[in-house]
Amino acid sequence: MESNVKNGAVPGEPAKKDENSRRGNWGNQIEFVLTSVGYAVGLGNVWRFPYLCYRNGGGAFMLPYFIMLVFCGIPLFFLELSFGQFASQGCLGVWKISPMFKGVGYGMMVVSTYIGIYYNVVICIAFYYFFMSMTKLLPWTYCNNPWNTPDCSGVVSSPLNATLANATTSLVAGVTEVVNRTKRTSPSEEYWKHYVLNISDDIGNFGEVRMPILGCLAISWFVVFLCLIRGVKSSGKVVYFTATFPYVVLTILFIRGITLDGAINGIKYYLTPQWQKVLDAKVWGDAASQIFYSLGCAWGGLITMASYNKFHNNCFRDSIIISITNCATSVYAGFVIFSILGFMAHNLNVPVSEVADHGPGLAFVAYPEALTLLPISPLWSLLFFFMLILLGLGTQVSSFLSWRCSFDSFSVFCLQAGIYWLLLMDNYAASFSLVIISCIMCICVMYVYGHRNYFKDVEMMLGFPPPLFFKVCWRFISPVIISFILIFTVIQYKPITYNDYVYPGWSLAIGFCMAMSSVICIPIYALYKISRSPGATFREVQYQLQLFLLIDRDSLAFLL
């Protein structure tokens, strides 16, 4: 009798093997946790979270962000980990529980493809800044460069030429000029817009290829595939460094940021809710998409990584640790960047809400500005952009474990209009599609496979049933919240903008097509399975459909 209930198996179940000799396991549990942290904690925290928070009014974004984390993010994160670990299959193999819903797995792969494509563009920009930091003087320090405009106002004083007036006269003249300007920009923002991007005036005006960006994009793809050359074993070793080093650099910037003049104003903007924006469905929609984007839900990577766990690993503990670490990192990065924005607003004499780019370039404006204020700034700049590269690689390496193929680099991102396309893909291809796919997966597991069956499976695997809070969230709260957010977002839909630029209708149509291309996989594959069923009559096809849906508990257990 004892042999039938050991290792966490429920009564009547045979003992399960902890190791998967055919598929392989992580070298140790620390590798899985660090890989998952590297997967969840990435550019989404340091790059995407700050600009979404800034765009949605700072503190107005924080309330829905935490609500979505508690009631949707953490429960669905645990659902994906437990699903993959129990089945020991990737995002396609797990759907042997109900073959008709295998389209969910294909949808995850499509989303992962989109994210992998434009995520590497952000990594390539980090590579570009990394290479440009290999100098005695950071090129975005002063306003005396060919790409600067008369509206540029630097924080660091420019070196004086011997033929100029004395330092006091120059300082007074500079202050007078600054006060008289109505709209000023920082040298880091002008470097980003006018030199790195050389941005065009319209998404349809592609312009020329930015050859340095294209070269860095090729390097970023090459590095990703180098990290993946030996699969899970090599990626597990890489994350020992990639998952820990970023916190060292963020801490250095945090200490420097909060000691700057005006930093408190940026932090107040970050933490103070603007209640009129809290009621905006767009803010809630962005908070939901950021939670799923940041945690990596519906990418397929979580299921795949968990499938390499030992069968009785405590994935509940892992999900709590990883989710909280992810959220804490986002909040921590927010303090860093908003303290810098407060300092920039103080020196440029403008409100915090108007001090910088509201789009995905925010991280490449605010962080570089702070780096110029550190001693030996080129060294710190090298370390910071190396950190961004590591954050991006940590997520890329993990996500590509579930989708290995050679991708087109999409050189459109290297054109002068590339930033418009980057924002379009970020807002549509990898936003609400993540939320929809996660919701469908939750509903399928709870109501098609059956919540009682799944709760018993988790108990067999962990030795204890899922906590009541997670049971309620899986069955009711998470799907209901997601459904309401989707409905109200559609009702209050607002086209995306990039600062003052409004996207034309044809580009929004492309965005919707990208968003639907992942979700449409689900009904298309379901119809395909029905059409391939052996029944010749409608009644027989209906019977086959019922077989797909009415799955008993053994249909998942046999995967082991």
Side-chain angles (χ1 to χ4, degrees), residues 340 395 480:
I340 298 167
T395 302
V480 168

Side-chain angles (χ1 to χ4, degrees), residues 55-68:
R55 187 175 74 182
N56 289 293
F61 183 77
M62 298 296 285
L63 178 62
Y65 177 80
F66 281 112
I67 291 176
M68 292 302 303

Side-chain angles (χ1 to χ4, degrees), residues 360-372:
L362 177 63
F364 297 103
V365 172
Y367 290 123
E369 186 78 10
L371 293 169
T372 63

Side-chain angles (χ1 to χ4, degrees), residues 126-439:
F127 266 114
Y128 179 82
Y129 271 83
F130 177 79
F131 294 137
M132 296 304 292
S133 300
M134 297 178 180
T135 178
K136 292 182 180 179
L137 179 67
L138 295 176
W140 55 85
T141 304
Y142 301 127
C143 291
N144 56 356
N145 301 288
W147 58 81
N148 290 126
T149 68
D151 294 327
C152 181
S153 178
V155 175
V156 180
S157 299
S158 213
L160 296 175
N161 190 285
T163 61
L164 297 177
N166 60 54
T168 304
T169 305
S170 298
L171 180 60
V172 172
V175 170
T176 302
E177 181 186 4
V178 164
V179 171
N180 290 333
R181 289 176 188 160
T182 56
K183 175 63 177 177
R184 292 171 291 155
T185 54
S186 65
S188 62
E189 183 169 5
E190 294 204 344
Y191 179 77
W192 163 251
K193 286 183 177 179
H194 305 315
Y195 187 76
V196 178
L197 299 178
N198 193 14
I199 188 171
S200 65
D201 59 356
D202 185 77
I203 189 173
N205 181 13
F206 291 101
E208 63 183 14
V209 176
R210 304 289 294 145
M211 294 306 297
I213 302 297
L214 183 61
C216 291
L217 184 60
I219 292 173
S220 63
W221 278 112
F222 179 69
V223 172
V224 166
F225 286 116
L226 279 183
C227 293
L228 281 173
I229 199 167
R230 293 183 58 194
V232 67
K233 294 295 183 181
S234 63
S235 66
K237 302 299 184 293
V238 169
V239 295
Y240 275 107
F241 181 70
T242 61
T244 55
F245 175 72
Y247 292 99
V248 177
V249 179
L250 277 179
T251 300
I252 293 170
L253 289 177
F254 173 74
I255 294 172
R256 182 63 179 121
I258 61 175
T259 59
L260 296 171
D261 293 335
I264 189 65
N265 296 327
I267 293 175
K268 285 181 180 178
Y269 182 85
Y270 177 47
L271 298 178
T272 304
Q274 300 177 33
W275 295 110
Q276 70 276 14
K277 287 194 172 184
V278 172
L279 300 178
D280 188 348
K282 174 65 174 174
V283 177
W284 286 83
D286 281 349
S289 68
Q290 173 58 21
I291 284 294
F292 288 100
Y293 183 99
S294 184
L295 289 175
C297 297
W299 290 30
L302 290 177
I303 292 177
T304 304
M305 287 189 298
S307 70
Y308 291 99
N309 279 338
K310 294 180 179 179
F311 181 76
H312 294 295
N313 170 64
N314 190 346
C315 59
F316 171 71
R317 173 202 59 203
D318 296 340
S319 64
I320 299 298
I321 292 174
I322 297 166
S323 300
I324 293 178
T325 301
N326 174 277
C327 178
T329 304
S330 293
V331 174
Y332 192 34
F335 276 104
V336 175
I337 205 164
F338 277 91
S339 64
I340 298 167
L341 292 175
F343 167 73
M344 293 171 65
H346 173 78
N347 282 275
L348 296 174
N349 196 28
V350 296
V352 175
S353 60
E354 301 175 9
V355 73
D357 189 337
H358 280 225
L362 177 63
F364 297 103
V365 172
Y367 290 123
E369 186 78 10
L371 293 169
T372 63
L373 306 174
L374 294 172
I376 324 177
S377 56
L379 173 62
W380 293 113
S381 184
L382 284 169
L383 291 175
F384 174 75
F385 288 109
F386 183 56
M387 175 201 77
L388 282 187
I389 293 168
L390 293 181
L391 285 173
L393 291 177
T395 302
Q396 286 286 67
V397 166
S398 302
S399 62
F400 282 166
L401 288 174
S402 64
W403 185 219
R404 298 180 185 178
C405 69
S406 178
F407 296 114
D408 184 352
S409 300
F410 271 52
S411 57
V412 65
F413 293 111
C414 301
L415 298 169
Q416 288 176 271
I419 190 66
Y420 298 117
W421 291 97
L422 177 66
L423 184 61
L424 183 72
M425 185 170 277
D426 183 50
N427 272 262
Y428 288 95
S431 184
F432 283 106
S433 51
L434 291 175
V435 180
I436 295 172
I437 291 174
S438 289
C439 184

